[in-house]
Amino acid sequence: PVGCNDTFEQSLGPVEKFADLRFNDIASSEAARHKLGTAMESVGSGEALKASITDVEMDLKGEGGTPLSGFFDWSVGLVSAALSNILDKSAHYEGGRGLILMGEPCSEQTVRQRAKDSETADFIQNAPIPLQSTDCKGVIQWANLAMLDMMEYTQDEYVGRHCSDFAPDDQKDLMSEMAKAVHCGKKIKEVPVCFYRKNGGIVPLLLDTNVSYSEDGRFHHTRCFFRDDTGRRVREARAEALVDEMDRSLSLLDNFMSNALHFVRTPCNVMTQALDAARGQLDSTNLKAILHVNHSNPVISEAAKAAILESKLMLDVTVGQLSDLTRTLDDVSDLQRFEQGAELRPVINDVELLPLCHSVMAECALRCHDGVECVLDIGEGKATLPTDPKQLRRVLHHLLANAAMWTRQGSVHLSVTHDVYPNGAPRCVFNVTDTGVGIAGNIDVVGKYRQPQSMGKAPKGGSELSQKYLASVQQARDRQVEAAGSLSNAKGVGLGLLLSYNITNALGGELCFSSEPGNTKFSFSLPY
């Protein structure tokens, strides 16, 4: 130093104190000396016209010569040639002019705030998440290191260019729409975008952005946060591949089921026809012919008569079981179509309610346990209902079969009443009620679509052979019921309720359920 003002001497001491030192040697720390020296060299060598250094810690002169330290902001510049000659010719650098330094003391609060600001700036600049800001026109103003590393550009190569320069052609419109949305004050959240890297590769990203406004409400800059979207896209692609593979597998399974059902149903129909034909050979005409031939021997006639009756009984039960099997195959086939999204198209006809209900109740009576009463109650009103008779019969069959299976004593009750919807339209209400075990608690049985499989009940009488055959059928049914103490333990295939639910919806109604021990009720309404 070759000259200073009074304030300098009051703060740092007389200039003679530093006669043998470079000015930057006055700084308290090595880092501060290096920072100040670099600035002075930069200006003195002509690389820069001026330089500024903040928060330089300097050794101060306290009262009574007490050593203190303080922080200064220094500005370094070149002095004019005339002023340099006045101060001292030794202040000249070779080929240059002298330097003038102007310092301003910093308060401790300012230093602490600058330290916090520096820490925040470092946090953002070195954050692992790519960040950048743009102006109102979409020109990039700043980008942190993670953003530059991801895009493989340097700061000079990236900053100052428009965002659309890095977007593929098919995303230009998207960038324009987002810019409009941001200008309207909207926030952009998790929008998938793609940017070109410097090497030509495309990086998929998720963009979140909003706007920073100045105090007077003007657009200042955007805050853009990016996340690599590669992982999400890979997961979506894998999920899509799994869905495609599942669809393919289900399609193969559906084809297999269709073929399997066809190959099982066909021989069942053939056997049913064959058994019906055999039963026809044992009708009353043939029976009379056999008895006429053996009228001379009453013992043979009675034996022949008993054998024919037992054979007819066995054929009846066998045909009944085949009919149940065929019905189950039809149910499986229809449920398969429902699962595939097919819609049932009812064939609407005027159905006589009394004959149809009598028929299904007669079938129910054959399935009921001994002592269980079957009750049919048809209220006053229209005798016919415009609906699909085949599908209505299937629904009632399944509901009554379900009631018969779970009712050990008491009754199974089918009631048909005539009522109106809340809008006043007429409707026909079907209720199937039983006094079986029921279900305690609020359990949605219709939602579970669980329904036990019913089997035919064995008639009594006949020879030992027919009794053993019929007893085997009865035992199979009884084992199924005894193994299920409640509906949750049922061993059925679970087709009836699901099928009834879908058919009821197709007919314009909805299957409802309520239950408690000793009182279970299924109901649905169909429009007139």
Side-chain angles (χ1 to χ4, degrees):
V2 295
C4 63
N5 61 4
D6 293 339
T7 304
F8 181 93
E9 291 189 346
Q10 291 172 5
S11 300
L12 299 174
V15 70
E16 292 81 6
K17 173 183 175 182
F18 313 108
D20 298 328
L21 299 174
R22 287 176 56 85
F23 183 77
N24 57 300
D25 292 335
I26 306 174
S28 301
S29 64
E30 182 62 34
R33 287 192 288 270
H34 176 73
K35 184 165 58 171
L36 188 55
T38 301
M40 294 170 61
E41 290 290 340
S42 175
V43 175
S45 63
E47 293 181 9
L49 295 177
K50 60 181 180 179
S52 299
I53 315 97
T54 60
D55 303 334
V56 179
E57 188 177 8
M58 311 289 289
D59 292 328
L60 305 180
K61 181 183 73 171
E63 295 182 4
T66 304
L68 299 174
S69 64
F71 290 88
F72 291 82
D73 292 341
W74 290 100
S75 297
V76 183
L78 287 172
V79 300
S80 64
L83 181 58
S84 181
N85 290 328
I86 294 173
L87 291 175
D88 195 321
K89 292 184 179 181
S90 62
H92 288 270
Y93 287 87
E94 290 187 14
R97 300 197 302 268
L99 301 178
I100 184 171
L101 291 89
M102 292 178 288
E104 182 158 348
C106 302
S107 66
E108 293 184 4
Q109 181 179 1
T110 301
V111 173
R112 286 195 298 269
Q113 184 60 46
R114 286 177 176 176
K116 291 181 180 179
D117 293 343
S118 177
E119 183 178 353
T120 302
D122 178 76
F123 177 84
I124 296 174
Q125 183 68 18
N126 295 287
I129 299 177
L131 308 172
Q132 73 178 31
S133 66
T134 64
D135 63 13
C136 60
K137 296 181 180 180
V139 176
I140 301 169
Q141 294 181 318
W142 168 87
N144 71 349
L145 294 178
M147 187 70 188
L148 297 174
D149 290 342
M150 182 182 68
M151 298 296 292
E152 299 176 351
Y153 284 97
T154 65
Q155 187 85 9
D156 294 337
E157 292 172 332
Y158 190 70
V159 174
R161 298 178 62 180
H162 199 278
C163 289
S164 60
D165 293 345
F166 305 95
D169 292 339
D170 59 353
Q171 293 215 339
K172 301 287 187 182
D173 293 339
L174 174 62
M175 301 294 290
S176 177
E177 291 297 324
M178 286 194 297
K180 293 178 182 178
V182 169
H183 276 77
C184 294
K186 297 181 180 180
K187 296 181 179 180
I188 303 297
K189 187 172 180 62
E190 294 187 346
V191 175
V193 297
C194 292
F195 278 176
Y196 278 119
R197 286 192 172 104
K198 185 177 180 179
N199 63 5
I202 294 180
V203 54
L205 301 169
L206 287 176
L207 170 63
D208 295 82
T209 184
N210 57 20
V211 177
S212 172
Y213 293 96
S214 59
E215 293 182 358
D216 58 1
R218 290 183 300 174
F219 189 107
H220 192 259
H221 64 266
T222 63
R223 310 179 188 96
C224 302
F225 296 76
F226 295 91
R227 284 171 291 158
D228 193 333
D229 197 28
T230 305
R232 184 186 66 86
R233 296 198 178 196
V234 169
R235 289 191 296 270
E236 287 185 353
R238 289 176 177 173
E240 185 176 351
L242 288 175
V243 171
D244 292 341
E245 178 61 24
M246 185 181 299
D247 290 341
R248 189 185 71 85
S249 300
L250 289 176
S251 177
L252 293 175
L253 179 60
D254 289 340
N255 292 334
F256 169 78
M257 288 293 295
S258 298
N259 293 332
L261 291 173
H262 171 73
F263 283 112
V264 175
R265 187 189 292 109
T266 300
C268 286
N269 291 331
V270 173
M271 286 189 287
T272 300
Q273 295 174 6
L275 292 173
D276 285 338
R279 188 181 184 283
Q281 298 298 319
L282 299 176
D283 59 12
S284 58
T285 302
N286 291 334
L287 177 60
K288 290 179 180 179
I290 293 174
L291 294 178
H292 177 72
V293 171
N294 296 287
H295 69 279
S296 59
N297 191 336
V299 176
I300 295 178
S301 298
E302 289 299 322
K305 181 179 179 180
I308 291 173
L309 292 176
E310 292 170 5
S311 298
K312 289 178 64 178
L313 182 62
M314 295 173 64
L315 285 173
D316 288 342
V317 173
T318 303
V319 170
Q321 294 299 302
L322 280 173
S323 298
D324 286 346
L325 176 59
T326 303
R327 186 183 294 113
T328 301
L329 293 174
D330 291 337
D331 291 346
V332 172
S333 179
D334 288 344
L335 282 177
Q336 181 187 15
R337 293 189 179 95
F338 281 126
E339 290 295 325
Q340 293 173 345
E343 293 184 1
L344 176 65
R345 296 182 178 179
V347 180
I348 305 300
N349 289 301
D350 286 335
V351 180
E352 295 284 343
L353 293 176
L354 184 59
L356 185 143
C357 292
H358 269 300
S359 176
V360 293
M361 284 302 292
E363 294 179 2
C364 176
L366 294 175
R367 298 173 180 272
C368 285
H369 294 273
D370 293 336
V372 175
E373 183 181 9
C374 291
V375 181
L376 173 60
D377 181 14
I378 299 181
E380 295 182 359
K382 295 182 179 180
T384 61
L385 175 69
T387 189
D388 189 322
K390 177 182 177 182
Q391 303 305 333
L392 177 59
R393 184 185 188 90
R394 291 177 76 182
V395 173
L396 293 175
H397 166 80
H398 281 298
L399 296 181
L400 290 169
N402 183 70
M405 180 175 183
W406 296 108
T407 304
R408 292 298 191 97
Q409 58 184 3
S411 64
V412 175
H413 188 202
L414 170 61
S415 68
V416 181
T417 58
H418 305 279
D419 199 357
V420 294
Y421 289 104
N423 62 2
R427 64 178 178 175
C428 185
V429 182
F430 296 84
N431 294 294
V432 176
T433 309
D434 66 72
T435 58
V437 292
I439 300 175
N442 185 19
I443 300 178
D444 185 8
V445 174
V446 175
K448 293 183 177 181
Y449 305 119
R450 298 176 65 90
Q451 195 258 346
Q453 184 181 15
S454 306
M455 303 188 72
K457 181 179 179 181
K460 298 181 180 179
S463 67
E464 181 180 359
L465 176 62
S466 62
Q467 286 294 327
K468 288 182 178 179
Y469 175 76
L470 301 176
S472 65
V473 178
Q474 178 69 38
Q475 289 170 4
R477 181 175 182 271
D478 290 342
R479 282 196 303 269
Q480 198 171 34
V481 176
E482 291 170 1
S486 66
L487 188 59
S488 61
N489 296 322
K491 304 298 181 181
V493 294
L495 299 178
L497 290 183
L498 175 56
L499 187 67
S500 299
Y501 184 85
N502 283 284
I503 293 176
T504 304
N505 287 345
L507 295 178
E510 182 177 0
L511 186 62
C512 300
F513 166 81
S514 64
S515 179
E516 59 185 20
N519 184 18
T520 299
K521 179 180 178 181
F522 285 92
S523 63
F524 61 94
S525 302
L526 297 181
Y528 278 105

